Every structure is written in structure tokens, then in C-alpha cells.
Amino acid sequence: RLAGHLSGGMKQKLSLACALIHTPKVLLLDEPTSGVDPLARRAFFDIIGELAERGTSILVTTHVMDEAERCHRLALMNRGRIVAEGTPAEVKALTGGHLYRYHATPAGRALELAERHPSVESAALFGRDLQVLFRDGAAEAAALAGWLREQGVTTPEPEPVRPTIEHAFLEILRRDEPPDARQGGSA
């Protein structure tokens, strides 16, 4: 079949095969798994990992944070600038504070309230759960749960969460916002 008639995922596989056929010392991959199914994504990164172990230098751009987590070093960018760099563990540590998950109902109302609470550094919905970052941790998390209940939100006790690259990236972006954007002002 001609390459122009292949699906997007098959074109990506063909592109990777073409890039690897000459056993390069340096490999630049721009969004290599775009349009690829989950099994092929895993296979791509297994191949990329094997190449790296054999000494190939590989630079991958991706917006998929779990892909980024598989890399040895990361550089996170915002508005064309590097805002954080290091190993995945170093970048995750930049989240700072302690992260907790709340199975709160209604979730939207819980988010609105959490964003107003003085002990909350940041809050966001991840799926149907509210995730909240605190400076100090367990006591603040329990206090927020009690306050949410007083405000009519149903929530069991919060659970600690291990930060991911996505958590770190979102927190770094929040800190990198211009002050007027954080306050809801216009530029």
C-alpha cells in the first residue's frame, strides 16, 4: 500500500521505522505517538528505551505527560520558555507541598469552595475527583474536608496522592501565570 493511503497511526509507525533504519546516533522525535493506539504507544517507547540503552541520544517532544515520565530528563515549556527541567523525580518534587484527593459531590462546587479556602495552594478537578495541594499536609487536608461538609459538599476523608509529571506541570504553569491572570484580570 502507498504511504499516503495509510492511517495516521500506521504513518507514524512507518516514520519511526524509516528514522531507525540507518541506526542513528541521534534521534529527534516530534510527537511520535500522535494518532497511535495505546498498544503501539507502549511499543514505541519500548523501542525508544532500547535505543537509549544502546547509546542513542533521543530528544522527544510530547504533550502526553505519562510519555514524558518515561524519559531520563525533562524540560517543561510554557509560552516558548523552559519553566522546569530535571529528572522526572526532580520535576515531580517541584510540585511542592502535599497533594490530596477528595471524592467530593458535587465536584464543581467543591472546587469553587476549595479555591477560596485559605490553606489551599491550588485545586483542580482530575476526572471526577478534586485534587488539592497544601503547603503543610494532613491537618490542612482534614480541615478542608470538614469545611466542605459544613458547606453541603459530601466527601469522605481525603486520600494522599503521589504527584505525577502532570501535577507538577500544572502547578508550574499556575505559578508561571502573570499575576493579573491569576486574579482574573485582563491584560
Side-chain angles (χ1 to χ4, degrees):
R1 213 178 321 169
L2 294 174
H5 296 281
L6 296 174
S7 69
M10 289 303 291
K11 285 179 184 177
Q12 288 293 83
K13 291 175 185 179
L14 178 60
S15 294
L16 183 61
C18 290
L20 299 178
I21 201 146
H22 69 285
T23 318
K25 295 284 181 208
V26 177
L27 187 58
L28 306 174
L29 300 171
D30 183 20
E31 301 278 350
T33 61
S34 178
V36 175
D37 66 82
L39 290 175
R41 276 181 61 217
R42 183 175 296 144
F44 269 44
F45 273 88
D46 288 345
I47 292 167
I48 291 167
E50 288 174 22
L51 289 168
E53 286 177 15
R54 289 191 217 142
T56 302
S57 296
I58 304 169
L59 176 68
V60 177
T61 64
T62 184
H63 65 278
V64 181
M65 295 296 117
D66 65 321
E67 289 180 1
E69 192 141 3
R70 297 182 72 169
C71 297
H72 295 118
R73 293 198 52 80
L74 305 172
L76 301 179
M77 296 185 72
N78 185 29
R79 297 187 196 117
R81 297 181 299 110
I82 293 176
V83 293
E85 60 184 301
T87 65
E90 291 168 342
V91 170
K92 285 188 260 185
L94 295 175
T95 301
H98 303 273
L99 191 61
Y100 284 82
R101 173 185 311 126
Y102 295 79
H103 301 291
T105 306
R109 173 91 173 118
L111 175 61
E112 288 174 23
L113 291 166
E115 290 176 327
R116 295 192 332 235
H117 197 273
S119 67
V120 171
E121 291 290 308
S122 65
L125 291 177
F126 277 74
R128 293 172 44 194
D129 290 333
L130 172 66
Q131 293 194 6
V132 180
L133 182 68
F134 298 98
R135 185 173 298 120
D136 296 322
E140 291 175 327
L144 177 63
W147 186 71
L148 288 173
R149 287 184 203 109
E150 289 172 10
Q151 305 304 311
V153 172
T154 304
T155 183
E157 289 305 308
E159 304 164 3
V161 175
R162 284 196 140 142
T164 64
I165 297 296
E166 184 174 0
H167 289 114
F169 188 56
L170 291 173
E171 184 60 19
I172 290 162
L173 289 181
R174 184 189 69 79
R175 293 179 197 153
D176 195 47
E177 285 179 350
D180 60 336
R182 270 181 265 172
Q183 297 166 1
S186 58

